Amino acid sequence: MKIEENVVLAEHTTFKIGGPAKLFITCESVEDVENAVALARERDLAVYPLGEGSNVLASDEAIEKAVLRISIPGITYEKAGAQTRVTVGAGVTWDTLVDDVTDKGLWGLENLAGIPGTIGGAVVQNIGAYGAVFEDSVISIEVYDLATNSLRNLSREECLFGYRTSLFKQRAGSLIVTHATLELSDTPKPRLGYRDIEDYFADTPAPTLVEIRNAVRSIRAKKFPDLTTYGTAGSFFLNPVLPEEEAVRIAAKYPGMPLFPMPEGGVKVPIAWFLDYRHNVLDMREVRVGKALVWPIQPLVLASEPGATAADVQALATLVIERMKEATGISISREVQWLA
Ligand SMILES: Cc1cc2nc3c(=O)[nH]c(=O)nc-3n(C[C@H](O)[C@H](O)[C@H](O)COP(=O)(O)OP(=O)(O)OC[C@H]3O[C@@H](n4cnc5c(N)ncnc54)[C@H](O)[C@@H]3O)c2cc1C
């Protein structure tokens, strides 16, 4: 366990923004997590688990918390017929896991290739992309429960996964994800229905697992800001999930707008469609506040230039939310977690 004081969070978030955290503790095992929680209590500081900071906007001011950088390593495999159970430490980088399993010929995570962050972050956010969602592969999640100071194993049902949410997000700060057990398959299960993927493989009738993984990465690279130049946390906003009647009423007003029925009920309304100038509702191309800007290729994404502050990003997010409300009456909320 590595204990540091006043660590600048700009160096630990993909927005490259954030003031100094009072305590910054790197936890490489469950025991480290236990000890770090005890230390935070001794110092009377709230605990904040952090992965790679790819879905967090941290305040510019000093952060009076104990930030626990969850770095628990390890990937183990257990084969059962055509299925393989994979148990992975919460600190493993998501894309490292994707490489490992796809190189072994295991299907299930390939459409989620290229998403930044750790396993812990993927569990909390229930990451999704290109027609796939993390929860589809989950068997169980191991957590350290701060209420009982003990480990618990939760089944997929107990995790209350939903669109970019989970029990761990609802109970932020009281459950720390330590391991995840997933089930992946030897049997090919290509999901090629998402439009960008369909177009990519228009001339390839049966792409391999590794080809799909690589295609997803290459499609994504064209959409998101290059993290060597800009900061970002990916999509800043959640697409609202509305009751069917309301979504149908909105769609009737905006011909051509796609709707996405959700498995758990309701219909997802794609905010990027409204923010895209080509649909003549709102033109948010490169709208800026200070050094924060709406990403022109994918307007759901906010980006930061060197020197941007959390205040710039927050003000820009508020502007997008207000303009969206004025133009369409639709309320949107932030996906990115605020750390202060
Ligand atoms: C360029 C870019 C593209 C992206 N594309 C996508 C995408 O396609 N789909 C998608 O779903 N997301 C996407 N994201 C968002 C982000 O990558 C995911 O949400 C990711 O899973 C966050 O992981 P992290 O380790 O960085 O978590 P962090 O950002 O460090 O933390 C996110 C939240 O999880 C909590 N947390 C982290 N680890 C733990 C833990 N071990 N236990 C308990 N709580 C924890 C934190 O407290 C925080 O509330 C993108 C981000 C970027 C920068």
Side-chain angles (χ1 to χ4, degrees):
M1 180 166 91
K2 185 171 167 202
I3 305 164
E4 296 167 278
E5 301 218 7
N6 300 318
V7 168
V8 172
L9 290 184
E11 285 159 25
H12 295 275
T13 64
T14 55
F15 256 127
K16 304 172 194 182
I17 288 175
K22 187 85 183 157
L23 269 187
F24 188 90
I25 310 176
T26 306
C27 301
E28 292 183 345
S29 65
V30 171
E31 200 188 355
D32 280 358
V33 170
E34 203 170 356
N35 292 334
V37 169
L39 180 61
R41 284 188 179 135
E42 259 171 56
R43 300 275 297 261
D44 206 16
L45 294 170
V47 164
Y48 191 91
L50 186 72
E52 289 177 1
S54 65
N55 207 35
V56 165
L57 178 62
S59 164
D60 302 314
E61 311 299 325
I63 293 159
E64 296 294 316
K65 290 199 163 122
V67 172
L68 272 51
R69 172 64 172 93
I70 307 300
S71 299
I72 300 171
I75 309 177
T76 56
Y77 292 88
E78 191 189 330
K79 198 154 170 39
Q83 307 296 318
T84 298
R85 290 210 169 175
V86 187
T87 297
V88 55
V92 171
T93 296
W94 173 257
D95 224 21
T96 303
L97 175 70
V98 173
D99 270 341
D100 213 60
V101 299
T102 47
D103 287 347
K104 286 184 163 59
L106 295 172
W107 292 77
L109 305 186
E110 59 285 355
N111 289 39
L112 300 172
I115 299 181
T118 60
I119 302 301
V123 173
V124 173
Q125 295 297 121
N126 189 21
I127 56 171
Y130 299 99
V133 63
F134 171 75
E135 67 180 292
D136 289 347
S137 307
V138 171
I139 293 291
S140 63
I141 303 295
E142 183 193 81
V143 291
Y144 182 79
D145 188 337
L146 275 76
T148 56
N149 297 323
S150 60
L151 283 180
R152 282 168 65 191
N153 243 306
L154 302 175
S155 67
R156 177 177 25 188
E157 292 67 36
E158 288 174 305
C159 295
L160 305 181
F161 287 119
Y163 164 58
R164 290 305 95 74
T165 191
S166 64
L167 174 72
F168 320 105
K169 190 162 176 176
Q170 291 156 25
R171 290 191 46 198
S174 65
L175 296 173
I176 298 179
V177 177
T178 50
H179 288 94
T181 299
L182 311 180
E183 189 166 75
L184 303 175
S185 176
D186 289 351
T187 314
K189 290 186 179 160
R191 282 163 297 182
L192 307 174
Y194 206 91
R195 220 187 73 213
D196 288 342
I197 302 186
E198 213 170 63
D199 292 350
Y200 191 97
F201 288 120
D203 301 322
T204 315
T208 66
L209 176 57
V210 167
E211 280 170 345
I212 297 170
R213 175 195 76 192
N214 294 346
V216 169
R217 286 202 183 123
S218 129
I219 293 165
R220 293 179 65 90
K222 296 193 182 92
K223 294 208 165 158
F224 289 100
D226 177 356
L227 282 169
T228 58
T229 310
Y230 293 93
T232 185
S235 299
F236 199 89
F237 306 101
L238 288 167
N239 289 310
V241 177
L242 303 175
E244 196 182 332
E245 320 76 70
E246 201 181 333
V248 168
R249 189 176 51 72
I250 293 170
K253 209 166 144 200
Y254 299 102
M257 186 194 73
L259 290 177
F260 299 95
M262 300 296 281
E264 62 265 35
V267 178
K268 190 161 82 178
V269 174
I271 295 308
W273 190 90
F274 291 97
L275 304 180
D276 183 330
Y277 71 98
R278 288 170 299 184
H279 303 129
N280 297 320
V281 183
L282 274 169
D283 183 358
M284 298 301 287
R285 267 176 302 176
E286 284 197 72
V287 169
R288 289 172 169 269
V289 174
K291 290 187 181 298
L293 67 148
V294 175
W295 192 242
I297 302 159
Q298 167 48 288
L300 217 52
V301 171
L302 301 187
S304 57
E305 290 175 339
T309 62
D312 290 343
V313 179
Q314 287 287 33
L316 180 62
T318 303
L319 187 71
V320 173
I321 291 169
E322 284 172 1
R323 290 224 186 138
M324 184 69 195
K325 182 79 183 168
E326 272 165 33
T328 66
I330 300 173
S331 303
I332 52 173
S333 52
R334 291 162 167 84
E335 172 184 334
V336 170
Q337 305 295 298
W338 175 239
L339 167 52

